[in-house]
Amino acid sequence: MTGIKKFWGRQTIIAAVSAAALALSGCAASSALNEGEEKPAADTGGDTVKVGVLHSLSGTMAISEVSLRDAELMAIEEINADGGVLGKQIEPIVEDGASDWPTFAEKAKKLLQKDEAAAVFGGWTSASRKAMLPVFEQNNGLLWYPVQYEGMESSPNIFYTGATTNQQIVPSVTWLLENKGKSFFLIGSDYVFPRTANKEIKAQLEAEGGTLAGEEYTPLGHTDYSTLISKIKEKKPEVIYNTLNGDSNVAFFKQLKDAGITADDITVLSVSIAEEEIRGIGTDILTGHYAAWNYFQTTDTPENEKFVASYKEAYGDDRVTGDPIEAAYNAVYLWAAAVEKAGSFEVDAVKAAAGGIEFKAPGGTVTIDGDNQHTYKTARIGEIQADGQFKEVWNSGEPVKPDPYLETYPWAEGLN
Amino acid sequence: MDKKKLGYWLFFIALFLGPLYLTEFRLALLGKFLCFALVALGICLIWGYTGILSLGHGVYFGLGAYCTAMYLKLEAAGGGLPDFMEWSGVTGIPAFWRPFANPAFALGASLLVPALLAAVLGFLTFKNRIKGVYFSLISQAVVVVFVTLFVAKQDWTGGTNGLTNFTTFLGFSLASPLVQIALYLITVLILGASFALAAALTKSRAGRVLSAVRDGENRVRFLGFNPTSYKVFVYSLSAALAGLAGTLFVLQVGLISPAMMGIIPSIEMVLWVAVGGRHSLIGAILGAVIVNSAKSFFSESYPDIWSIFLGLLFIIVVMFLPNGLVGAIESWKKSRKKSRQKGGTADAADSVVS
């Protein structure tokens, strides 16, 4: 008798637990029938239009990506205050990519299929972009990616508002060769961006008369640079081209200074250190070194004055702006302008209308290149000052046409 | 008919009917969670039943996923070079990639490569009677080795970006909702079959030896059994299940990168089993589904602070439900039964894993 009771009890429990699990996993199951079967399209039925904001709000990338979310939300607020897009208010749906690439793919899918977002602003690392790319292509969504990256990509469903290599790395190498020296030492974190960037730099050095003193990679998060600095001391390069990312920069610059190497001995030019990172690393050990970007907080335009003031007002006086933050802000305005021009939120119409769209951005006018969906941007090089800001020492004068595959550079022929 | 079995049948039938009551997006999520459940099932076999705590199952999951992803990548390249090789400066497909153009080879390898690695690693450690926390540490070291290797060999593995952007599997478009539903159903069937296999194993003579190894390895040895071969066998089986899960994951999610075989995912896998109940196979499956559902649900509802809720869930389980959800339900039932029939048999001591 107890046996039967036991079995029935067990079964009820299993059924109950299964039901609970299913209910949890399918928390939207009840609305299944309402969502319909047709291909997801922008949901523009009401007075609002939904857009996704998908950055890492937790995990290792949160420190960088939270600022991008803030900039995007600020742009959305400004546009809404100004009457919205096509008469509709923009309704942002914020999701956390959690510094985890499958999560980025999962949330992108959610934003496109469940929320029917007309556009998604998001991503930082190349890995997160690569993870989202097939989702956007399969669902014919629209992703605005705001960070400088290694190039060699041009998806029909992605707009790239950050720099590609010919708007940041290539001009900075030329500038270094002309002003700082011929002998380069390349250091980088061990992932796709540094390795690809260095491949391009090596080809460029060969073509433009530079020499390679060394090339070293360390894992992300690496903090012991004594061996690497000994190698640098032995090779005596004139320039260190730095593609390290994150915490490693703190350790590297500190140990470089402790080893007695100052900016006067060897110039270090970095491509992943913006105002935000300078705050984290410490200005004392960075002063006198250089960084290549398309925008600095100190960039002198009327638009930037207003942008910096609004950003500080919204998020606090201690916050700083920076290149990716500006590119994220621009992305929202560029999308809104393309929608206005298209007269529609439909992805294909917006894409068709986007070519040639201009925006007077804080960092100077940016224009969408209709062919590769990147933007024309002004290349800039800045010297880090004691107050944690940049002093611009060079700019390209006019916006540079994006060339993600480096097709206009003869030395890059073997790279793709 | 066994009533317990009926419950299991109902559970798997409910999963199988998922496409009827879940949206495309939720179904894809559940499909992903069921892949994780398959890993959890394997971990339950070695941890709950045999007492081997592996903190490195991400490697087996990753290896299985990469084997299949290599095939998918070659198929997407349509006979040419995969895209990431092109921009890494590789001129020809590396020799070890070539056999993966054959789907049967790739799928076979996704089971056998993890199983073989586990067999070698298991043989070397178990034979030398390395166990407990020392084995766990070695399994973590293996994770570090593989992640470093996969990141550094960017021209062969895609580096940190991993392998993604696939188009077809055996000629079927992976973007098609019907193909995704079919893959989901296959996942449910494989999970059900693996569950039945694991249940049969734990009830068999070999299964009893495994439990005995957990509770007193030396006694097993003195009785004339060789614990090493039993442990190597179950460890390899568990690795093969993880590899199989990796294959199903990559087909449904369309992405694998070294981050997914790292230390954190490897520990998360053990957490799923801990939450569900490490002494119960169905507990492990439920744990994986519940933890991941909670993660998705919390992060959708509270994108800023969701990780606090998830952390809270883990702390509650570890502090108040040391044997997981299923363990808690069972002990509650036992105590209720005991209070009804005074003088019942005493509880069997719950062994804590070394």
Side-chain angles (χ1 to χ4, degrees), chain A residues 43 51 63 65 93 97 158 167 171 199 203 223 260 286 350 395 406:
Chain A
D43 173 19
V51 300
I63 184 161
E65 290 192 57
I93 296 173
I158 302 181
Q167 298 167 312
K199 203 155 277 170
T223 50
L286 284 173
V350 173
N395 69 53
L406 296 176

Side-chain angles (χ1 to χ4, degrees), chain A residues 75-113:
Chain A
I76 290 171
E77 249 171 59
E78 288 176 4
I79 294 172
N80 280 345
D82 214 31
V85 188
L86 289 182
K88 287 179 199 292
Q89 294 284 296
I90 307 172
E91 180 189 343
I93 296 173
V94 178
E95 289 288 348
D96 181 7
S99 309
D100 178 54
W101 322 142
T103 304
F104 268 97
E106 173 193 323
K107 300 295 182 198
K109 209 181 242 179
K110 185 230 166 208
L111 286 169
L112 293 179
Q113 296 186 348

Side-chain angles (χ1 to χ4, degrees), chain B residues 307-322:
Chain B
S307 38
I308 297 173
F309 291 115
L310 202 64
L312 211 61
L313 176 72
F314 291 149
I315 292 172
I316 289 171
V317 167
V318 170
M319 287 188 61
F320 301 108
L321 313 170

Side-chain angles (χ1 to χ4, degrees), chain A residues 137-148:
Chain A
E137 291 189 354
Q138 285 163 13
N139 294 284
N140 195 25
L142 206 53
L143 172 67
W144 293 77
Y145 173 75
V147 183
Q148 43 84 230

